[in-house]
Amino acid sequence: MKKILLKLIILSSSCLAIVWLLLFSSSSFYGDFNLYYTKEGDDGEYYLNMYQHLPTTPIAVYKLIDGYDKYFWVLYNKEGKEIWHSPYYAYLSDDISGMAIPTKKNNLLRYSSNEGWEAIDLTDKINQVNGKK
């Protein structure tokens, strides 16, 4: 009975690990090793890091070989606390022209996505990270 239970646990853990690696990992891990670019907001309150997807999924490998739209973005406040992460399945270009990073007076983030320009209000997330809600 214990052997069957142990085999079942090992099999299910292995399946979960494989599914996780195939679906989530290309933008789950980031740091200085895959940092491509940093853009600071106008007032220095927030900054946006552009990271390169890691080649851990078949889609990520294809995108890295293809050469286009291979980045994801993470927004931080000036203390380095993460506020926003681009969608995990988004493979974004390195186009920063027209991008708007939040400021103390405006919590709107505007960035170029695969579907065109996206604008999102980050007031709730900023308040949550700053402990105001």
Side-chain angles (χ1 to χ4, degrees):
M1 183 69 166
K2 287 184 180 182
K3 287 184 180 184
I4 293 173
L5 184 61
L6 182 60
K7 286 181 181 181
L8 186 61
I9 290 172
I10 291 172
L11 181 63
S12 62
S13 298
S14 299
C15 288
L16 285 174
I18 290 170
V19 168
W20 179 78
L21 283 174
L22 290 175
L23 297 178
F24 300 110
S25 67
S26 70
S27 66
S28 295
F29 302 105
Y30 46 92
D32 291 338
F33 58 92
N34 64 337
L35 179 63
Y36 180 73
Y37 183 78
T38 298
K39 179 170 173 58
E40 190 171 303
D42 292 338
D43 63 358
E45 192 69 22
Y46 303 98
Y47 63 94
L48 193 74
N49 280 350
M50 183 184 306
Y51 296 99
Q52 187 170 352
H53 278 272
L54 298 175
T56 56
T57 65
I59 293 171
V61 170
Y62 170 76
K63 291 288 189 177
L64 292 174
I65 291 171
D66 184 32
Y68 298 104
D69 301 337
K70 57 184 176 182
Y71 302 100
F72 64 96
W73 296 333
V74 181
L75 179 71
Y76 299 93
N77 64 9
K78 65 183 177 185
E79 288 86 29
K81 294 180 181 176
E82 185 177 319
I83 302 216
W84 174 83
H85 187 295
S86 61
Y88 284 94
Y89 297 108
Y91 288 80
L92 306 171
S93 72
D94 59 354
D95 180 22
I96 60 166
S97 60
M99 179 182 290
I101 295 177
T103 61
K104 284 183 180 180
K105 296 180 181 179
N106 182 8
N107 293 331
L108 191 68
L109 172 66
R110 183 173 186 259
Y111 69 98
S112 176
S113 74
N114 299 343
E115 290 82 34
W117 285 98
E118 300 276 340
I120 53 175
D121 184 6
L122 296 173
T123 302
D124 291 339
K125 290 187 179 188
I126 289 171
N127 288 337
Q128 182 181 10
V129 168
N130 292 335
K132 294 182 181 177
K133 269 192 175 178

